[in-house]
Amino acid sequence: GAGVSQSPRYKVAKRGQDVALRCDPISGHVSLFWYQQALGQGPEFLTYFQNEAQLDKSGLPSDRFFAERPEGSVSTLKIQRTQQEDSAVYLCASSLEGAYFAAFFGQGTRLTVV
Amino acid sequence: RKEVEQDPGPFNVPEGATVAFNCTYSNSASQSFFWYRQDCRKEPKLLMSVYSSGNEDGRFTAQLNRASQYISLLIRDSKLSDSATYLCVVNDEDKIIFGKGTRLHILP
């Protein structure tokens, strides 16, 4: 497809369960970003990749959050031992390179922890 | 101080009116500025980039004031379909930072 693709679209997890969220960026886009968006808030930066290198992970809220992009294309955001406060929409975006080009978003994964 | 600040609104504006909102940013080294639009329960979508000289796209005009560190968005002849949340976006080195958004309701 031409756009950023995320899966699953919806995920319900029991508290304590591990989850993995996938992002398939636009082909040829070097940069990939993950954001967390709570209801009524703007997207909050989590982490950023340039190709396979994770250049910034300062926004990850705890060591339960882990992201990877091993081949510089598809990325996975993993949350271990999910907590209720992890419930949010997780958005992935890609750009040609860095923050100087506009980023394009996937439809997001809505995570609900029960 | 938050890196990117916006008035959350809501702005309730009659159809056909002109509406403008601003966004301030804290990092004077920022070089990239964008406005995104987000509809309820949808992903943010790029509305327009903001250039130093200001730029226009149809009914939308964006301006940048580096001295005062703010960007603005003006919407002329507003349509019902303009109802959405408008997100201000600024880069912080390689990170893209979003404001919390300004909600706009266009009233028939």
Side-chain angles (χ1 to χ4, degrees):
Chain A
V4 178
S5 178
Q6 290 188 246
S7 61
R9 288 288 311 281
Y10 303 93
K11 176 70 179 177
V12 178
K14 290 186 178 178
R15 192 168 51 183
Q17 187 179 350
D18 297 350
V19 298
L21 313 179
R22 176 188 167 106
C23 173
D24 200 339
I26 293 172
S27 178
H29 277 195
V30 167
S31 300
L32 186 147
F33 306 84
W34 282 99
Y35 291 84
Q36 180 189 61
Q37 187 172 25
L39 194 63
Q41 302 293 314
E44 294 282 348
F45 172 82
L46 294 177
T47 187
Y48 158 64
F49 290 85
Q50 184 156 314
N51 294 308
E52 68 279 5
Q54 189 174 21
L55 298 187
D56 191 326
K57 54 181 181 179
S58 61
L60 295 176
S62 77
D63 59 7
R64 297 186 295 103
F65 286 71
F66 171 77
E68 60 183 5
R69 194 186 185 197
E71 296 177 1
S73 178
V74 171
S75 176
T76 304
L77 176 67
K78 297 179 179 178
I79 309 173
Q80 296 177 322
R81 304 181 305 281
T82 52
Q83 304 293 316
Q84 281 194 312
E85 62 262 27
D86 299 335
S87 296
V89 176
Y90 290 86
L91 293 162
C92 174
S94 69
S95 75
L96 274 172
E97 186 163 359
Y100 299 98
F101 295 91
F104 296 90
F105 282 82
Q107 291 180 298
T109 295
R110 184 174 299 276
L111 173 66
T112 303
V113 181
V114 298
Chain B
R1 182 182 170 189
K2 288 287 287 183
E3 292 173 278
V4 180
E5 293 199 54
Q6 295 182 251
D7 181 341
F11 285 55
N12 296 308
V13 174
E15 192 175 8
T18 296
V19 60
F21 20 85
N22 290 343
C23 157
T24 58
Y25 61 94
S26 60
N27 186 350
S28 60
S30 293
Q31 296 291 324
S32 301
F33 308 91
F34 306 94
W35 283 102
Y36 279 72
R37 169 196 170 124
Q38 187 170 28
D39 293 288
C40 189
R41 301 178 80 87
K42 299 284 190 181
E43 75 275 20
K45 292 188 176 173
L46 177 68
L47 180 65
M48 58 196 302
S49 303
V50 185
Y51 303 120
S52 297
S53 55
N55 48 298
E56 190 173 306
D57 183 1
R59 298 181 293 107
F60 298 85
T61 300
Q63 292 193 311
L64 167 64
N65 184 317
R66 285 191 185 274
S68 300
Q69 292 182 211
Y70 75 84
I71 67 173
S72 63
L73 179 67
L74 179 82
I75 307 174
R76 288 182 299 278
D77 187 23
S78 52
K79 311 291 184 192
L80 293 176
S81 57
D82 294 333
S83 297
T85 296
Y86 290 83
L87 298 161
C88 170
V89 178
V90 176
N91 81 298
D92 176 1
E93 297 183 355
D94 280 339
K95 290 190 297 193
I96 299 174
I97 306 298
F98 283 77
K100 292 191 184 299
T102 297
R103 284 183 297 143
L104 175 64
H105 296 152
I106 304 300
L107 307 173

